Amino acid sequence: MTLVKTTFDRRSFLKATALSGGGMMLGFSWMSSCQPALEQETGLTMPDEWFDINSYLKIGNNGVVSIFSPNPEFGQNVKTSMPMIVADELDIDWKNVVVEQAAYSPEQFPGAPFGQFTGGSRGIMSKWQPLRVAGASAKHMLKQAAAQTWQVPVEEITTEAGVLHHEISGKSAGYGEMASAAAQISVPEEVELKEPKDFKIIGHSKKNVEGKNIVTGKPMFGVDYQKEGMLIAMVVMPPAFGMTLKSIENAEEVRSMPGIKDVFPIKTYQDDYKQGYFDTNAFPELVAVVGNSTWETMKAKKAIKAEWEPIKSSDNVINRFGTDINVHTPAGLENTSDHNTQMRALMAKPGKIARRDGDPEGAFKKAAKIIERSYSAPYLAHNCMEPMNFFADVKGDKAHMAGPLQGPGLIEPTLAARLDIPEESIEIEMTRMGGGFGRRAYSHHMVEAALISQKVNAPVKLMYTREDDMTNGIYRPTYTATYRAALDENNNLLAFHVKAGGVPESPLFANRFPAGAIDNYLAEEFSIDSNITIGAFRAPRSNFMAGAEQSFLDELSEEMGKDPIEFRLELLKRAGDDPVGQTNDYDAARYAGVLELVRKNSSWGQTTSDSHRGVAAYFCHNTYAAHVLDLKIVNGKPLVQKVTCALDCGIVVNPDAATNMAEGAIVDGIGNALYGELTFKDGVPQKNNFHQYRMIRMSEAPRDIEVHFVQNEIDPTGMGEPPFPPIFGALANALYRATGRRHYSQPFIGEGISLG
Amino acid sequence: MALFNLTINGKKQQVDVGPSTPMLWVLRDHLNLVGTKYGCGIAACGACTIHLEGTATRSCQLPVSAAEGKNITSIEGLSENGDHPVQQAWLEHDVPQCGYCQAGQIMSASALLEANPNPSDAEIENAMDGNICRCGTYTRIKAAIKTAAQVK
């Protein structure tokens, strides 16, 4: 057993019923609002009385345990896997557990703004210890309660599946019987945690706790939110990036349309507001339309006539979690063709050097052969299936908010500043998200909803249309990278050079593989200012760099006459045995581990007659991933037959759910690599809905996906992002083997153009 | 506005809406049946799929005036207790990630199996290609449809 300090602030273990806000007062929760339905759903009898043990759990007098999932859920299944961690340490039978979504409560779940954040593949990694401690502390308090009741030493008490035992006296009691007494016990200063070998729930697949609700269409998403007297709001945004609202021309006329309550401009941020890092917002001035029903409001939205004007260029200071950063936003209507020209121009000039090992310039001069290849990728829209939306009920100095968002702690201060009310006066319910992918880390629409509610003095649900969602994006930026390798006359690798840039950010990670494996190494970068808003998109920057780097390594291995996996393993061996440089952001042995596992499980080296394979591996967000992808060309179109995936994310909490995540990341990556693209003409996104923006469909998804995990007892790391970036490379490399042609520019297939 | 008599999930309902109002919004805003989802509004994503006389139909493109007098089934009415073979297969395969598209996927899949109890892979793909799953659960959806086909 491991002894750990209960690192929580005492305040986080306040009895939840004593709190004025937080998890206990969820009105929307199907669980607390509908106990009989829950009983029917779970087959469990709900207790007469609950006893709050700590922020994460309460125990009923009949032994049923309710566990709060602290982080918002967008499909990564934390609502199941986080409670699994608590339940295991608590020693409770999983079938006696019910799960509730916690509301935003920085007091109960400290660590703001990231205490209840879903993103960066941080959920399980950052909550691993707190969740275990919460379960173990509760178990300790139950044991103490039993020891006091039975007048026996606490050390003699054991637990199993929700029952306390005292072997010597033969006494035993269910957790429910001791819950009342346990709630009075003080929180222990330190608790014992289980050894991984003793886990009974962690590592054993559990079904999604929301499965039944999802397949029966129960309300659970932001768009499903209802409140008595609620109105529907929509917004009209400028037609192009680089434009802003000048005036509304026909407000009176639209106000008189059927079912319409009001039309007015809103300003999301005050002029003197210092924006935070996640306050990104292309269009802070909008036209709001409020009506009785969605369809009426949608029709009124279309009827709005407004005058728009060009933005002025601006220089702003943004607060990046306490550090000021300067951001220049140029005026103008931007074009993809101009971005590409600008990127090519900067690629031809020296960039900002991010890392230099040895003498790369000298080594390139001595080279017998230089391989140079350039890669590029376009802007991508997140296209969450549930468009952006938020419920707001602002009354006086109180705001009740509910909706889909990845980081309530990121936006609550913004809203407090805008409404000029204390953060404590804002209640945020986190609804299940219909996808996030990074987009919902930016919640300007929550502020918009609050301003609209405040103006009309009624609860409102702000709904973005699909077109709004796609054209008011916070996109994955467009990027480019050029790789160069210097070889001697015997095809030994002398030097490696990467230069990467983008609009408006560079995608470079200077200290990632193959840095550390090559004596002479140079990494440079550049960026180009833009007024097109960008932000986190599943595995930011990695989602481009992995494909570029892994395609280049593939081409390099071919040039050097080496097997692509063997070549990578040789580099990793060097990085492990005798690393170059001080800072290398990866563990070479674990990196090699996933390559070896995928090599074994894909039967690498055995040729298949009609299928073509590509391999790629990558490390990001603390997890190692490798894929082998097999494809055929059928009627000129690539058809992925199989993807074999190997992952090292440490302990796998919920294996089937983790497998599902990896499968999804693979499908998502193949879709984006083949079809994903958003271009701009005079500031206007050239696609606004799914008839134009091609998304991968079932017939284009792999026929088979096999996911393998490295077995170890390392603390778990993230699963949402890591399997995504390398699939771009595996696909590109398989496409080369199938077509004889390298693919350097994403998307690999343009709209309506097949490979040939 | 006008009164429309509808049969939703076997129940007679009356709504007072404009004749062009899509069934999607009639269900969601006026009948409080929010399982049917808005995804695109142009019949390009399948999230709003319902059954119109048993046929998978995009409710965002079905005006209420065209639905009068016809039998409409939404996800809430697919089965009494959420135990339709397709729903059960979805749970068995633990298909959903975010879950937003899944009601539409299930409605497309159940209509397919009603018309073709033992579909081939190509037939499944053909019937399901109109339903986007942004999370990429396609392999599980396909497996669940095959499981449900064995049950039926």
Side-chain angles (χ1 to χ4, degrees):
Chain A
M1 279 191 236
T2 319
L3 211 57
V4 298
K5 295 264 183 234
T6 49
T7 50
F8 296 109
D9 184 299
R10 172 70 202 171
R11 283 193 312 154
S12 71
F13 273 67
L14 282 176
K15 301 291 173 274
T17 43
L19 289 170
S20 59
M24 295 296 147
M25 55 177 298
L26 268 183
F28 183 56
S29 157
W30 56 277
M31 149 127 204
S32 49
S33 62
C34 203
Q35 206 130 299
L38 184 70
E39 294 194 348
Q40 194 194 342
E41 219 121 82
T42 59
L44 287 171
T45 305
M46 288 299 115
D48 304 322
E49 204 176 350
W50 288 108
F51 299 97
D52 301 315
I53 306 295
N54 58 46
S55 303
Y56 292 89
L57 66 103
K58 55 186 178 180
I59 301 178
N61 63 333
N62 66 347
V64 171
V65 177
S66 170
I67 302 179
F68 285 95
S69 183
N71 288 28
E73 170 70 62
F74 63 13
Q76 80 285 37
N77 214 9
V78 283
K79 196 169 175 183
T80 305
S81 51
M82 285 190 168
M84 283 172 69
I85 298 169
V86 178
D88 204 324
E89 288 288 354
L90 179 61
D91 240 350
I92 179 86
D93 196 329
W94 182 246
K95 70 176 193 298
N96 285 327
V97 171
V98 292
V99 173
E100 291 186 72
Q101 175 67 58
Y104 178 60
S105 173
E107 286 175 329
Q108 286 178 282
F109 307 105
F114 293 111
Q116 290 175 278
F117 175 71
T118 288
S121 301
R122 301 162 54 106
I124 292 294
M125 187 177 80
S126 65
K127 284 287 183 299
W128 174 242
Q129 180 117 332
L131 292 164
R132 293 179 73 192
V133 169
S137 305
K139 182 172 70 180
H140 181 88
M141 290 154 77
L142 287 159
K143 282 180 168 184
Q144 289 280 1
Q148 286 176 15
T149 308
W150 296 333
Q151 294 294 304
V152 299
V154 69
E155 296 76 24
E156 292 176 4
I157 291 178
T158 57
T159 57
E160 196 191 353
V163 181
L164 296 140
H165 297 285
H166 184 249
E167 205 180 322
I168 302 162
S169 65
K171 285 184 170 142
S172 69
Y175 282 4
E177 296 168 61
M178 288 295 165
S180 168
Q184 307 308 317
I185 304 280
S186 31
V187 178
E189 280 182 16
E190 53 184 18
V191 289
E192 287 169 349
L193 299 182
K194 285 183 176 179
E195 293 300 329
K197 68 176 172 47
D198 298 322
F199 290 149
K200 292 192 175 73
I201 296 172
I202 294 165
H204 303 271
S205 296
K206 301 292 174 207
K207 301 278 190 208
N208 188 332
V209 295
E210 293 276 40
K212 188 77 184 275
N213 292 317
I214 292 170
V215 305
T216 53
K218 293 282 186 303
M220 60 179 73
F221 296 96
V223 293
D224 303 338
Y225 204 92
Q226 301 279 353
K227 189 168 183 176
E228 190 67 32
M230 184 183 84
L231 299 171
I232 299 293
M234 292 199 159
V235 286
V236 182
M237 51 199 60
F241 285 84
M243 301 289 281
T244 190
L245 178 66
K246 189 176 179 194
S247 62
I248 309 171
E249 293 181 341
N250 63 342
E252 269 316 307
E253 183 191 324
V254 176
R255 248 181 236 126
S256 67
M257 288 177 71
I260 296 308
K261 296 280 188 189
D262 208 350
V263 175
F264 50 88
I266 56 166
K267 193 167 177 176
T268 313
Y269 306 133
Q270 308 272 35
D271 285 336
D272 59 352
Y273 173 65
K274 187 173 174 182
Q275 287 191 24
Y277 194 62
F278 282 85
D279 283 338
T280 308
N281 182 5
F283 305 121
E285 294 186 43
L286 303 162
V287 182
V289 192
V290 184
N292 291 326
S293 71
T294 313
W295 185 243
E296 287 167 321
T297 311
M298 215 177 246
K299 287 209 286 193
K301 167 181 156 66
K302 284 183 188 150
I304 293 277
K305 290 193 179 73
E307 197 176 339
W308 312 98
E309 62 185 353
I311 60 165
K312 296 182 178 73
S313 74
S314 61
D315 290 281
N316 295 300
V317 178
I318 284 180
N319 175 8
R320 185 179 181 167
F321 311 115
T323 309
D324 283 350
I325 54 170
N326 297 304
V327 175
H328 175 69
T329 306
L333 303 176
E334 298 180 22
N335 291 287
T336 294
S337 55
D338 296 337
H339 289 158
N340 292 340
T341 306
Q342 288 170 304
M343 286 197 288
R344 273 195 299 273
L346 285 186
M347 190 58 88
K349 293 179 184 170
K352 184 181 143 213
I353 293 175
R355 174 164 172 155
R356 178 196 268 115
D357 295 320
D359 176 20
E361 293 85 354
F364 272 97
K365 272 187 198 140
K366 284 193 304 202
K369 198 189 304 176
I370 293 174
I371 319 287
E372 177 175 325
R373 300 289 183 265
S374 289
Y375 302 83
S376 66
Y379 283 92
L380 295 175
H382 294 80
N383 294 339
C384 302
M385 285 311 289
E386 179 192 20
M388 298 302 116
N389 67 89
F390 228 90
F391 168 86
D393 189 7
V394 178
K395 282 202 178 74
D397 60 355
K398 292 256 188 286
H400 170 207
M401 314 298 299
L405 81 176
Q406 292 177 231
L410 298 168
I411 196 72
E412 193 180 69
T414 311
L415 183 63
R418 184 62 182 88
L419 298 178
D420 195 20
I421 60 173
E423 288 179 36
E424 295 72 42
S425 301
I426 300 171
E427 182 199 345
I428 304 177
E429 284 180 59
M430 302 183 290
T431 56
R432 189 180 186 86
M433 287 175 266
F437 307 101
R439 178 61 181 86
R440 285 192 230 270
Y442 309 87
S443 300
H444 52 84
H445 42 283
M446 178 177 126
V447 182
E448 294 158 14
L451 292 171
I452 296 168
S453 169
Q454 190 179 46
K455 175 76 168 51
V456 298
N457 195 28
V460 300
K461 182 164 64 183
L462 170 65
M463 302 271 295
Y464 275 28
T465 62
R466 172 57 57 195
E467 289 81 3
D468 297 337
D469 187 282
M470 203 177 283
T471 60
N472 184 2
I474 297 185
Y475 304 108
R476 198 288 296 269
T478 180
Y479 295 126
T480 182
T482 295
Y483 286 86
R484 295 164 70 227
L487 303 179
D488 70 11
E489 57 278 5
N490 299 316
N491 272 340
N492 293 310
L493 182 57
L494 297 177
F496 194 90
H497 176 203
V498 52
K499 190 196 289 181
V503 185
E505 67 167 16
S506 152
L508 183 73
F509 293 95
N511 299 319
R512 284 194 181 164
F513 183 76
I518 301 159
D519 288 310
N520 303 300
Y521 176 90
L522 178 64
E524 296 175 84
E525 60 184 336
F526 62 85
S527 60
I528 295 159
D529 291 331
S530 166
N531 58 38
I532 295 169
T533 41
I534 64 99
F537 183 110
R538 194 175 208 168
R541 302 183 284 153
S542 305
N543 58 35
F544 168 67
M545 291 307 280
E549 170 202 298
Q550 292 291 310
S551 296
F552 185 67
L553 290 183
D554 200 71
E555 202 163 342
L556 197 52
S557 68
E558 188 182 34
E559 192 68 37
M560 294 166 76
K562 292 185 176 181
D563 172 80
I565 292 183
E566 202 50 50
F567 173 55
R568 287 167 173 83
L569 289 174
E570 279 173 22
L571 289 172
L572 286 162
K573 185 165 185 345
R574 167 68 204 274
D577 293 349
D578 178 22
V580 180
Q582 301 298 312
T583 316
N584 296 313
D585 295 346
Y586 59 96
D587 178 326
R590 290 181 77 184
Y591 208 135
V594 289
L595 275 164
E596 281 158 359
L597 187 62
V598 86
R599 178 166 66 178
K600 177 171 147 257
N601 285 313
S602 66
S603 306
W604 182 260
Q606 294 176 17
T607 47
T608 48
S609 54
D610 57 348
S611 198
H612 307 276
R613 341 189 79 174
V615 64
Y618 204 65
F619 170 65
C620 68
H621 295 87
N622 305 293
T623 289
Y624 299 81
H627 302 301
V628 167
L629 182 149
D630 297 335
L631 69 74
K632 281 184 193 173
I633 302 290
V634 180
N635 301 327
K637 289 179 185 161
L639 206 56
V640 179
Q641 299 298 306
K642 185 170 183 178
V643 175
T644 310
C645 164
L647 293 161
D648 181 354
C649 59
I651 291 166
V652 186
V653 176
N654 194 3
D656 189 49
T659 300
N660 197 347
M661 283 301 291
E663 292 165 357
I666 288 163
V667 172
D668 187 10
I670 293 170
N672 274 298
L674 288 176
Y675 317 118
E677 181 181 40
L678 191 65
T679 57
F680 294 85
K681 189 156 186 283
D682 296 329
V684 181
Q686 294 300 290
K687 295 173 185 174
N688 68 16
N689 206 325
F690 295 130
H691 64 305
Q692 295 163 328
Y693 202 112
R694 187 167 171 188
M695 308 291 286
I696 190 167
R697 306 281 177 157
M698 182 189 275
S699 64
E700 298 154 341
R703 291 286 168 271
D704 186 20
I705 300 173
E706 208 178 277
V707 180
H708 302 271
F709 294 95
V710 173
Q711 302 294 322
N712 59 37
E713 293 188 355
I714 299 169
D715 285 355
T717 50
M719 271 298 304
E721 286 157 309
F724 181 65
I727 198 69
F728 290 75
L731 175 66
N733 297 336
L735 276 174
Y736 164 67
R737 302 223 150 61
T739 64
R741 193 156 61 80
R742 291 277 175 187
H743 291 75
Y744 300 104
S745 297
Q746 293 170 28
F748 298 142
I749 298 180
E751 192 62 48
I753 303 164
S754 61
L755 286 163
Chain B
M1 306 286 264
L3 289 175
F4 292 92
N5 293 303
L6 301 168
T7 309
I8 316 277
N9 300 330
K11 202 169 136 194
K12 301 254 185 261
Q13 305 259 21
Q14 198 173 56
V15 291
D16 186 11
V17 294
S20 68
T21 311
M23 274 310 298
L24 168 65
W25 300 113
V26 172
L27 291 169
R28 291 187 56 84
D29 279 3
H30 302 278
L31 299 173
N32 201 24
L33 293 169
V34 296
T36 306
K37 293 292 188 274
Y38 166 71
C40 68
I42 59 166
C45 79
C48 68
T49 305
I50 57 168
H51 295 171
L52 178 69
E53 295 294 346
T55 303
T57 303
R58 310 295 183 227
S59 65
C60 72
Q61 292 297 304
L62 177 69
V64 64
S65 54
E68 207 171 22
K70 305 216 167 95
N71 282 307
I72 285 177
T73 307
S74 70
I75 185 72
E76 292 89 348
L78 185 63
S79 63
E80 188 91 355
N81 301 308
D83 55 1
H84 185 282
V86 172
Q87 289 168 314
Q88 286 182 331
W90 244 247
L91 293 175
E92 186 186 326
H93 289 270
D94 220 4
V95 171
Q97 285 187 31
C98 87
Y100 192 81
C101 74
Q102 298 294 350
Q105 304 276 2
I106 288 168
M107 295 309 279
S108 288
S110 53
L112 163 69
L113 293 180
E114 204 56 53
N116 179 359
N118 194 16
S120 66
D121 275 30
E123 286 166 337
I124 293 174
E125 287 165 11
N126 191 42
M128 301 302 295
D129 257 6
N131 289 76
I132 296 172
C133 174
R134 174 70 182 85
C135 300
T137 64
Y138 295 125
T139 46
R140 285 180 188 239
I141 291 173
K142 194 190 276 183
I145 292 173
K146 288 180 180 178
T147 297
Q150 283 166 7
V151 172
K152 277 183 82 89

